[in-house]
Amino acid sequence: MELCDYRVTQLARMLRQREISAFDLMESVFERIDVREKLLNAYITLTREMALKQATAADQRFQNGEPLSILDGIPIAIKDNLCTQGIRTTCGSKILENYIPPYNATAIQRLTDAGAIIVGKTNLDEFGMGSSCENSAFGPTRNPVNPDYVAGGSSGGSAASVAAGESIIALGTDTGGSIRIPAAYCGIAGIKPTYGRVSRYGLVSYASSLDQIGALGKTVEDCALLLNSICGNDHRDSTSANVPTPDFLATLNRDIKGLKIGLPVEYFVEGLDKSVKEMIMQAVNLLAEHGAEIEEISLPHTKYAISTYYIIATAEASSNLARYDGVKYGFRTHQAVKDLVQMYEETRSQGFGQEVKRRIMLGSYVLSAGYFDAYYRKAQQVRTLIKQDFDQAFQKVDCIIGPVSPSLPFKLGEKIAEPLQMYLVDIYTVSLNLAGLPGLCLNCGTIDNLPVGFQIIGKSFDEETILRAGHFYETIKNESI
Ligand code: GLN
């Protein structure tokens, strides 16, 4: 095991006791990058020189006995739709190929203030639109567990980097499953917090009412640690919630006796791969053996989740992406044009990839005057019903367990020609975003050497319960092996 294969908690202790240096740790990460990155393509941009310099500065702090926080000196990967001052931020798109933000996203600023060191910016489906990390202008990311398979998306680069030891922890974003799906496919942990828990300031918008920044790590504990430093109210984001941030580590080790876990009947029916279902049920049974109370619940509007999500997400995307017009920033066509309209057309035709164009067209359609009531308004109404399903379920249970993806990771190219097949990958993840709820993905084993993940869904602003249940599961799973 190299340094880059350790968890944050272990590394933080070794750094503090000066058994290792932040510089050695950073070098270990870049050595792994040198070995694996060519094949995996987890990063769009690497910031090696800056990272090594910052590692030296961190070592100075350790020497003085003044580390900034538990994250001081820890190498972190950042999804490339989060603005990093002075570091190119592309969103996986040609249209932002050379965009260098003049400011940091709030989450990035908080991490930097805590001493975490950016290794680089990770690959994603263009603007977060996809479930496999194949829709990037910078090529697909491969799964470190088996490079013939997709890493999952859209935060595929972040998940792959953590799983491969090309970073220790990573930030991702989740609009409809983009943290949880790649975490599941790469066999690591990932959490999408409650909407409003983490400031979206500096997150390049895809669908603003659904987007949320979250954490990926080798373990639930690493995710909890990362959350501790990025959460909290921010006046720069009006949707950021004014609620206190608990210390997510403080309650992590509590027992789960009597914890009421709901299993939605609608989640365990046809469409879910049988072997995946069995594996998840094993996890549920293990929790039950240790004192959790399992109860069947119903989320009756689940069948409308995909259509509702793809109406609302594309509607918001078509509006958010209107800003890329070749005027304000980003790519502009090099072609000679006769007027402004043609300049817009050529810029957008050349700058956006196929999936992004499909979403802009879908979104413009559902928002158009003649169809607004039939699609967009209707979708908003169904969104309320989906949220009410969860409200009712949470009157009976403390958290809910379900699959993350209906199947195992798939091979590169397998679903790319069939957009609808790709959208169906999100069947178990989008409802949480529509309802604004937190969801934690964790690994429960492998089938044919491919990782299987499941998710624990929590009440609004109750990340503590799902992190505690997840951490408990990881502990008893390791004991039972
Ligand atoms: N796969 C979903 C989509 O394409 C979710 C992506 C995400 O969460 N960013 O919209």
Side-chain angles (χ1 to χ4, degrees):
M1 212 157 105
E2 307 290 331
L3 286 181
C4 62
D5 297 310
Y6 283 83
R7 295 179 278 119
V8 179
T9 30
Q10 298 167 316
L11 292 167
R13 186 184 46 75
M14 292 193 275
L15 283 167
R16 215 160 284 237
Q17 295 175 350
R18 313 220 37 234
E19 289 165 21
I20 61 166
S21 71
F23 191 85
D24 289 345
L25 170 59
M26 192 55 81
E27 271 204 328
S28 162
V29 166
F30 277 105
E31 274 165 25
R32 180 63 56 82
I33 288 173
D34 288 340
V35 176
R36 299 210 68 189
E37 178 58 10
K38 217 172 154 163
L39 176 67
L40 297 179
N41 195 32
Y43 287 94
I44 293 175
T45 305
L46 285 164
T47 48
R48 186 187 297 244
E49 245 172 72
M50 201 172 7
L52 288 168
K53 237 196 198 139
Q54 286 172 359
T56 307
D59 280 328
Q60 192 62 52
R61 291 192 292 271
F62 284 114
Q63 200 174 337
N64 299 341
E66 291 166 347
L68 293 170
S69 82
I70 190 158
L71 290 179
D72 202 352
I74 301 293
I76 183 166
I78 308 292
K79 188 175 181 182
D80 207 19
N81 59 353
L82 293 162
C83 285
T84 40
Q85 188 174 10
I87 306 171
R88 180 169 80 130
T89 299
T90 70
C91 292
S93 181
K94 184 174 167 174
I95 214 148
L96 287 176
E97 198 172 19
N98 298 311
Y99 174 62
I100 299 178
Y103 69 107
N104 273 331
T106 298
I108 302 294
Q109 193 57 49
R110 288 186 176 166
L111 283 170
T112 310
D113 292 345
I117 304 176
I118 298 174
V119 177
K121 304 294 296 287
T122 56
N123 201 11
L124 68 157
D125 290 292
E126 191 175 353
F127 287 100
M129 298 177 190
S131 313
S132 65
C133 212
E134 293 172 288
N135 294 335
S136 165
F138 300 86
T141 294
R142 291 174 180 272
N143 193 320
V145 179
N146 182 338
D148 292 338
Y149 290 80
V150 299
S154 62
S155 315
S158 286
S161 77
V162 171
E166 292 190 6
S167 68
I168 305 300
I169 38 171
L171 279 192
T173 65
D174 192 311
T175 304
S178 279
I179 287 175
R180 292 160 286 156
I181 291 168
Y185 284 5
C186 294
I188 60 166
I191 182 164
K192 175 205 109 63
T194 309
Y195 185 81
R197 181 63 102 178
V198 182
S199 165
R200 290 183 298 111
Y201 179 72
L203 156 60
V204 181
S205 300
Y206 158 16
S208 315
S209 78
L210 303 159
D211 297 338
Q212 188 62 196
I213 299 172
L216 296 112
K218 291 188 190 87
T219 60
V220 172
E221 190 174 26
D222 278 3
C223 292
L225 253 165
L226 182 47
L227 268 198
N228 267 355
S229 82
I230 59 171
C231 292
N233 188 228
D234 178 15
H235 70 274
R236 290 194 175 98
D237 169 11
S238 61
T239 63
S240 137
N242 196 0
V243 293
T245 308
D247 175 358
F248 294 111
L249 287 180
T251 47
L252 207 60
N253 287 313
R254 289 208 189 136
D255 199 5
I256 60 147
K257 262 195 193 72
L259 185 78
K260 290 200 183 72
I261 300 177
L263 292 184
V265 275
E266 293 82 1
Y267 282 15
F268 293 92
V269 290
E270 212 185 320
L272 176 63
D273 184 295
K274 253 187 92 185
S275 54
V276 171
K277 177 179 167 179
E278 275 165 25
M279 197 107 237
I280 297 172
M281 287 317 294
Q282 277 177 24
V284 171
N285 291 337
L286 195 59
L287 286 165
E289 282 165 27
H290 285 80
E293 291 169 23
I294 313 296
E295 195 173 322
E296 220 170 60
I297 55 156
S298 174
L299 300 170
H301 295 92
T302 297
K303 56 180 179 287
Y304 303 117
I306 288 279
S307 13
T308 305
Y309 170 82
Y310 275 94
I311 289 170
I312 294 173
T314 56
E316 293 185 17
S318 71
S319 160
N320 275 327
L321 270 58
R323 71 190 71 168
Y324 306 105
D325 56 8
V327 177
K328 294 186 271 301
Y329 40 69
F331 167 82
R332 175 188 291 191
T333 182
H334 304 298
Q335 204 171 306
V337 288
K338 63 176 191 310
D339 57 17
L340 187 64
V341 172
Q342 197 193 358
M343 192 281 284
Y344 289 156
E345 280 173 6
E346 290 301 335
T347 295
R348 289 168 68 83
S349 303
Q350 293 165 25
F352 289 134
Q354 212 187 3
E355 183 59 28
V356 173
K357 287 182 202 163
R358 183 181 293 119
R359 306 267 179 124
I360 293 173
M361 286 189 280
L362 262 171
S364 308
Y365 177 77
V366 299
L367 287 175
S368 59
Y371 296 100
F372 185 89
D373 286 340
Y375 292 109
Y376 187 72
R377 191 186 304 279
K378 187 58 76 188
Q380 292 292 16
Q381 289 163 342
V382 181
R383 180 177 191 169
T384 303
L385 296 175
I386 289 172
K387 187 171 180 312
Q388 284 170 356
D389 282 356
F390 282 107
D391 291 344
Q392 269 164 20
F394 280 128
Q395 286 181 359
K396 292 201 285 183
V397 296
D398 304 311
C399 60
I400 295 171
I401 283 184
V404 172
S405 167
S407 66
L408 292 168
F410 44 92
K411 287 202 165 140
L412 260 85
E414 202 177 308
K415 290 186 198 277
I416 202 75
E418 298 275 355
L420 199 57
Q421 286 304 315
M422 194 69 92
Y423 297 171
L424 287 173
V425 170
D426 308 335
I427 183 122
Y428 301 113
T429 48
V430 293
S431 304
L432 276 69
N433 301 76
L434 289 166
L437 302 172
L440 170 70
C441 164
L442 56 163
N443 178 268
C444 57
T446 55
I447 298 170
D448 300 333
N449 292 321
L450 293 169
V452 181
F454 71 104
Q455 66 178 329
I456 312 180
I457 305 163
K459 294 178 186 168
S460 197
F461 293 103
D462 188 17
E463 287 84 359
E464 282 170 288
T465 298
I466 59 175
L467 287 166
R468 172 163 63 99
H471 179 65
F472 188 86
Y473 171 74
E474 280 181 348
T475 315
I476 53 176
K477 181 185 151 202
N478 288 338
E479 281 165 8
S480 73
I481 288 171

